[in-house]
């Protein structure tokens, strides 16, 4: 009888121990599952969007606006790709998975809207820019303005077929009657940034760029700077220099992309644009 009771108590103790171990095991599995679930949820919350923007916007976006947006929108990562607006247009037509497009000319945006590649309802004509004539800093020149730019030995402008700044340059010089003379001695850049660099380095004696590029070139901390000789009036061009922004129709991250477009229209961001040489297109 005593032996039977001892065995019965021992069995009860072992059963209790087994239940504790089993419960502990279940608790561990539950904690692991919760951790995995939390990690998965965090990964799902992290959204990456791509903005395809004109080369003249690169410094402003990379140095200021993208960090500002990501700080205000945790979980959204923004990557920028920059080139001439014409090149970006062709890349989007070829399947570039951009979520937002910001052009340095309305013509490129209009074409993508007509092709159904940009959502017309989201397009905003956000900024204006000026077209300026530049020469290397501290270099003597016989050039006074756009009217006599052909007096320079070498002239740099963007390719009018793909670079909006080059298109504007061609319009200005054609209206002045000296484009053919300039084209004979011109080097055609693939972006306005490249043109500005050529002039700053002295590879070209004069060039036509945006005022923002001249400003950025003179604030990058090196000795390669430019002097602005003249600013073109809007009347010298067929259309003013307008920067539209909009969402691509194929964006898989419409909500995050829309947040970026809305962000670009806020007062604080517009102040950043103005500080970098742009003006608001009111």
């Amino acid at each position: 009888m005593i032996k039977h009771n001892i065995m019965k108590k021992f069995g009860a103790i072992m059963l209790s121990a087994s239940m504790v171990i089993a419960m502990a095991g279940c608790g561990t599995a539950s904690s692991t599952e919760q951790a995995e679930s939390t990690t998965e949820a965090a990964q799902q919350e992290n959204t990456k969007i791509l903005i395809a923007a004109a080369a003249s916007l690169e410094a402003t976006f990379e140095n200021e606006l993208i960090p500002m947006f990501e700080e205000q929108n945790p979980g959204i990562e923004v990557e920028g790709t920059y080139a001439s607006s014409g090149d970006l247009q062709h890349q989007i037509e070829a399947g570039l998975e951009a979520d937002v497009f910001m052009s340095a000319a309305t013509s490129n945006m209009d074409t993508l809207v007509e092709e159904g590649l940009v959502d017309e309802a989201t397009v905003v004509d956000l900024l204006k820019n000026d077209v300026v004539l530049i020469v290397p800093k501290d270099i003597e020149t016989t050039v006074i303005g756009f009217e006599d730019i052909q007096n320079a030995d070498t002239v740099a402008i963007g390719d009018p077929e793909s670079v909006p700044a080059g298109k504007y340059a061609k319009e200005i010089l054609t209206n002045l009657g000296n484009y053919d003379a300039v084209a004979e001695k011109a080097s055609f850049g693939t972006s306005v940034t490249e043109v500005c660099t050529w002039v700053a380095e002295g590879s070209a004696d004069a060039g036509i760029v945006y005022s923002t590029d001249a400003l950025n070139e003179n604030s990058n901390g090196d000795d390669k700077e430019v002097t602005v000789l003249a600013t073109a009036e809007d009347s010298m061009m067929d259309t003013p220099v307008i920067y539209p922004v909009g969402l691509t129709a194929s964006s898989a991250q419409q909500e995050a992309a829309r947040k970026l477009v809305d962000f670009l229209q806020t007062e604080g961001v517009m102040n950043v644009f103005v500080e970098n040489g742009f003006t608001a297109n009111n």
Side-chain angles (χ1 to χ4, degrees):
M1 188 68 175
I2 294 174
K3 184 177 179 180
H4 174 74
N5 289 338
I6 291 173
M7 292 300 295
K8 185 176 181 180
K9 289 181 180 180
F10 180 75
I13 292 171
M14 292 300 294
L15 178 61
S16 297
S18 298
M19 291 177 65
V20 171
I21 293 172
M23 290 176 65
C26 290
T28 301
S30 177
S31 298
T32 301
E33 290 172 358
Q34 288 178 356
E36 291 176 349
S37 177
T38 300
T39 301
E40 183 179 353
Q43 290 175 342
Q44 291 176 348
E45 290 176 1
N46 289 332
T47 302
K48 187 173 184 177
I49 58 176
L50 175 67
I51 179 170
S56 52
L57 291 162
E58 182 173 4
T60 305
F61 270 103
E62 291 296 320
N63 297 337
E64 299 184 69
L65 296 186
I66 289 179
M68 184 188 302
F69 176 79
E70 291 180 340
E71 182 178 355
Q72 295 180 18
N73 296 270
I76 301 179
E77 180 183 350
V78 180
E79 179 183 353
T81 182
Y82 309 94
S84 72
S85 299
D87 284 346
L88 293 174
Q89 174 195 323
H90 296 322
Q91 289 177 38
I92 292 172
E93 290 170 334
L96 175 68
E97 295 181 352
D99 300 285
V100 177
F101 176 48
M102 189 163 181
S103 172
T106 55
S107 58
N108 303 106
M109 184 68 77
D110 291 344
T111 298
L112 293 180
V113 166
E114 291 170 2
E115 294 171 346
L117 297 175
V118 169
D119 182 356
E120 183 177 11
T122 68
V123 176
V124 178
D125 290 341
L126 191 64
L127 304 173
K128 288 188 68 177
N129 207 342
D130 289 322
V131 177
V132 297
L133 169 62
I134 60 172
V135 295
K137 187 176 180 180
D138 298 330
I139 298 296
E140 292 186 6
T141 178
T142 58
V143 176
I144 298 175
F146 291 99
E147 296 82 0
D148 67 347
I149 188 175
Q150 68 272 14
N151 290 341
D153 292 333
T154 54
V155 179
I157 63 174
D159 184 347
E161 298 302 316
S162 61
V163 182
K167 170 180 169 288
Y168 293 124
K170 183 176 180 179
E171 289 179 6
I172 292 168
L173 300 177
T174 299
N175 291 334
L176 291 172
N178 60 351
Y179 177 72
D180 290 341
V182 172
E184 291 179 357
K185 58 179 64 178
S187 295
F188 296 99
T190 58
S191 72
V192 66
T193 305
E194 184 175 43
V195 171
C196 197
T197 299
W198 286 347
V199 177
E201 293 176 343
S203 300
D205 298 316
I208 299 176
V209 299
Y210 296 127
S211 63
T212 50
D213 293 283
L215 179 63
N216 288 333
E217 185 66 45
N218 290 344
S219 63
N220 61 14
D222 60 26
D223 296 329
K224 299 174 182 177
E225 298 184 2
V226 298
T227 297
V228 175
L229 290 184
T231 300
E233 300 291 336
D234 286 350
S235 60
M236 299 170 70
M237 298 171 282
D238 298 340
T239 56
V241 184
I242 302 296
Y243 283 59
V245 61
L247 273 64
T248 61
S250 62
S251 171
Q253 306 294 344
Q254 289 281 326
E255 183 178 352
R258 190 175 298 275
K259 284 184 178 180
L260 177 59
V261 172
D262 290 343
F263 164 81
L264 294 175
Q265 300 174 62
T266 60
E267 182 178 356
V269 171
M270 292 308 300
N271 289 337
V272 173
F273 279 128
V274 170
E275 290 171 358
N276 283 273
F278 296 95
T279 57
N281 181 43
N282 296 324

